[in-house]
Amino acid sequence: MGYLLLGLLAVIIILLGIAVVRTLMLKAPAPAVCDTVITEDECAIAAEKLGAMVRIPTVSKREDEDLSEFYKLHEVMEQHFPLLHQNLEKEVFSGNLLYRWKGSDPAKKPILFMGHQDVVPASNEGWRTGAYSGEVIDGNLYGRGCLDCKSTMYVELQAVEELLAEGFVPPCDVYLSYSINEETGGDGAAAAVRRLKERGITLALVLDEGGAVSEAPVAGMDRDYAVIGITEKGYMDLKITARGKGGHSSTPPRNTPAARLFAFANEIEHKRPFQKALIPEAKEMFAQMAPSFSFPLRLILGNIWLFKPLLMAVMPMVTPFGEAVMATTCCFTMMKGSDAANVIPKEPYLVANLRTSVHQGCAASLAGMKKYADKYDLDIEVIMQRDASPVSNIHSKEYAYVCQCIRKHFPDVGIAPYLIMGGTDCRHFHALTENALRFAPVRMTNAQNASCHAVDENVTLAALAEGVRFYKMFLKEYNL
């Protein structure tokens, strides 16, 4: 037994030694200096054009609702991007926009840049400026949608406008797609996909919002990172109902419907009945980010082959993001009891919002919930559901080209694939390409990222100018 223990100890020491040596070698090069000089004219153009777009309150709509604000936005776009509207084919369907820029080689697969016109609602309360002011303060433009997602629209449209002014012709067809209801999960982007499919069009590459050039996205990193969204988690809303006889609250029985609901919710919170796993792309994300951490985290993230069990056990305790990367998440968001304080509710219910993982889809996640619902005699109704999107190929030449452009244009940042926890229109375009990528080439601070859907949403004008330059370079050097 003693020899066995000594042998085991020797193996552990050897493995740790290998991990330490690998970690010492795993040092990211010092970030290059980004010496891009942004001109006042570029910032002024961004302020004028994006400001005009932000001042149109294009709150998400269904196709059968009043779309007048979206048509006003279209007029603003025609005014500020005249060459684009003179030279590109344009389709408008229920307020959604689809443009086609004919390329020099019709045999080449087209590419598509996209975003969305709609924004979430906003009131003026708490804002430094009006919620739809488009006002510039200290080099930052404020207003609902200036980041999410009219900044993406602006940098794409302006890049095309400037390239047209230079007489540039793209090497392949380039499509631009902008829906009116991304924020509400509407049908706008899906309708664009259907139109392209009907014409037999497949795409080499799609670029949408979702990733960005983010200020040190994880605490402890030594540099900013360009994160490229390669998949997005699924979505499911569940209504969980407890049934009983009701009655007067002065003589309550044990195990009332509401008590059963609370016990169920408490157990789900503590048991976390979902399978944890690290898909290969998540491992790659950690591996690409590892060199930018200090030694302890670099040791663990850079040697997942050895520390995977530790990582999977500890990370969910350290950060909600860690759990979201590895498993389906469940959050109880709505509830209803009785209409009076002294009445036992007959059918109280909770609504749970689940973000389902790639490896455990809606059906399997629902089964995990149902096991506990049965324990407390509860009924589960699926309100809506969609599985996680397919995972884009991080080994494709198209993904490599996006990374190449980022390295050239943003030499001071790291690059990593990223799993999107929310939802974007990009998921619909997996039907047309294996390279549906979510990356907007706009720098944003953590505070700016947090301002999306919140008070004082803002974007830096110089970051917009960088984004325009990125798309111009992307198209000029594209040769896949």
Side-chain angles (χ1 to χ4, degrees):
M1 180 63 72
Y3 287 117
L4 182 61
L5 290 175
L6 283 173
L8 181 61
L9 180 61
V11 169
I12 292 173
I13 291 172
I14 291 170
L15 290 176
L16 284 174
I18 293 172
V20 168
V21 171
R22 282 171 49 89
T23 304
L24 291 173
M25 297 172 62
L26 192 67
K27 288 185 178 179
V33 176
C34 185
D35 55 3
T36 302
V37 178
I38 302 299
T39 67
E40 291 184 5
D41 283 348
E42 288 174 291
C43 292
I45 291 169
E48 178 189 1
K49 296 188 177 184
L50 181 57
M53 294 167 69
V54 167
R55 283 188 279 274
I56 310 298
T58 48
V59 176
S60 301
K61 297 286 186 182
R62 296 193 311 269
E63 284 79 356
D64 59 351
E65 294 182 311
D66 177 13
L67 303 180
S68 57
E69 295 296 341
F70 289 93
Y71 294 124
K72 290 178 186 176
L73 176 62
H74 298 179
E75 292 175 5
V76 166
M77 292 165 62
E78 290 173 10
Q79 174 187 348
H80 287 289
F81 307 102
L83 294 178
L84 184 150
H85 285 87
Q86 292 165 20
N87 290 275
L88 273 63
E89 298 173 5
K90 174 185 174 184
E91 296 179 63
V92 184
F93 43 101
S94 300
N96 302 287
L97 291 169
L98 182 64
Y99 297 90
R100 179 193 177 202
W101 189 7
K102 288 185 179 180
S104 58
D105 186 353
K108 279 183 175 289
K109 268 192 176 183
I111 59 178
L112 184 143
F113 302 146
M114 60 184 295
H116 58 90
Q117 306 169 61
D118 61 313
V119 302
V120 297
S123 70
N124 287 325
E125 185 177 353
W127 285 74
R128 297 179 66 181
T129 66
Y132 297 98
S133 71
E135 185 176 338
V136 175
I137 301 176
D138 297 329
N140 296 326
L141 188 147
Y142 285 76
R144 175 63 75 238
C146 67
L147 264 181
D148 186 15
C149 171
K150 290 177 179 176
S151 60
T152 302
M153 290 181 63
Y154 167 74
V155 295
E156 293 170 355
L157 295 166
Q158 183 63 19
V160 172
E161 185 75 7
E162 292 184 14
L163 287 172
L164 286 167
E166 296 171 13
F168 175 78
V169 178
C172 61
D173 284 1
V174 177
Y175 286 89
L176 306 175
S177 177
Y178 305 116
S179 74
I180 66 166
N181 44 28
E182 188 270 355
E183 296 291 1
T184 54
D187 190 53
V193 170
R194 288 194 296 271
R195 284 172 175 252
L196 294 173
K197 286 185 75 172
E198 288 168 0
R199 296 163 193 169
I201 294 169
T202 58
L203 301 168
L205 171 75
V206 169
L207 277 184
D208 190 15
E209 58 148 353
V213 182
S214 300
E215 177 188 14
V218 182
M221 302 183 88
D222 68 355
R223 68 195 64 196
D224 297 348
Y225 259 75
V227 289
I228 306 169
I230 54 170
T231 183
E232 53 195 63
K233 297 185 76 174
Y235 183 102
M236 184 159 57
D237 287 329
L238 301 176
K239 181 180 179 181
I240 303 103
T241 305
R243 307 188 191 281
K245 295 181 179 179
H248 201 286
S249 62
S250 61
T251 54
R254 296 294 178 92
N255 207 31
T256 61
R260 302 201 317 269
L261 273 180
F262 298 149
F264 163 80
N266 183 64
E267 192 155 7
I268 294 294
E269 279 277 307
H270 286 87
K271 293 288 181 64
R272 302 290 213 241
F274 305 110
Q275 176 189 353
K276 285 190 289 188
L278 272 178
I279 64 173
E281 292 78 11
K283 293 179 184 178
E284 185 65 22
M285 175 182 70
F286 289 131
Q288 294 294 330
M289 290 182 171
S292 294
F293 286 102
S294 58
F295 184 83
L297 267 179
R298 192 161 77 244
L299 174 66
I300 295 172
L301 297 179
N303 294 280
I304 293 178
W305 60 274
L306 180 60
F307 294 110
K308 180 180 175 182
L310 176 64
L311 181 69
M312 294 184 69
V314 173
M315 184 163 278
M317 302 178 191
V318 174
T319 168
F321 175 77
E323 180 176 18
V325 166
M326 298 180 189
T328 292
T329 58
C330 172
C331 183
F332 296 99
T333 55
M334 300 171 67
M335 62 181 67
K336 175 70 168 65
S338 69
D339 295 322
N342 61 348
V343 174
I344 299 172
K346 288 181 65 176
E347 295 186 355
Y349 66 81
L350 294 170
V351 172
N353 176 249
L354 280 68
R355 303 302 173 108
T356 58
S357 60
V358 172
H359 61 272
Q360 188 176 25
C362 290
S365 297
L366 176 60
M369 296 284 284
K370 194 172 186 311
K371 172 184 172 183
Y372 290 90
D374 291 345
K375 176 179 176 179
Y376 293 102
D377 191 23
L378 307 174
D379 296 330
I380 292 186
E381 173 191 351
V382 178
I383 301 172
M384 70 167 295
Q385 63 178 326
R386 66 167 185 264
D387 278 321
S389 70
V391 182
S392 292
N393 182 4
I394 63 173
H395 304 293
S396 71
K397 63 182 184 297
E398 290 82 5
Y399 182 87
Y401 180 69
V402 173
C403 293
Q404 173 188 321
C405 289
I406 293 171
R407 288 190 194 95
K408 185 171 182 178
H409 195 70
F410 300 101
D412 55 323
V413 308
I415 306 171
Y418 177 66
L419 280 63
I420 304 287
M421 304 305 154
T424 71
D425 275 341
C426 194
R427 68 180 179 276
H428 299 289
F429 285 84
H430 284 277
L432 302 178
T433 180
E434 68 167 4
N435 300 295
L437 304 175
R438 299 144 180 93
F439 174 71
V442 177
R443 293 181 190 265
M444 63 179 71
T445 65
N446 290 329
Q448 286 173 327
N449 190 32
S451 75
C452 288
H453 291 201
V455 169
D456 282 346
E457 182 177 350
N458 70 94
V459 63
T460 304
L461 296 178
L464 296 170
E466 276 190 296
V468 173
R469 291 187 182 188
F470 176 92
Y471 273 113
K472 291 178 68 176
M473 177 193 71
F474 188 100
L475 288 170
K476 283 181 174 180
E477 299 183 7
Y478 184 83
N479 189 31
L480 300 183

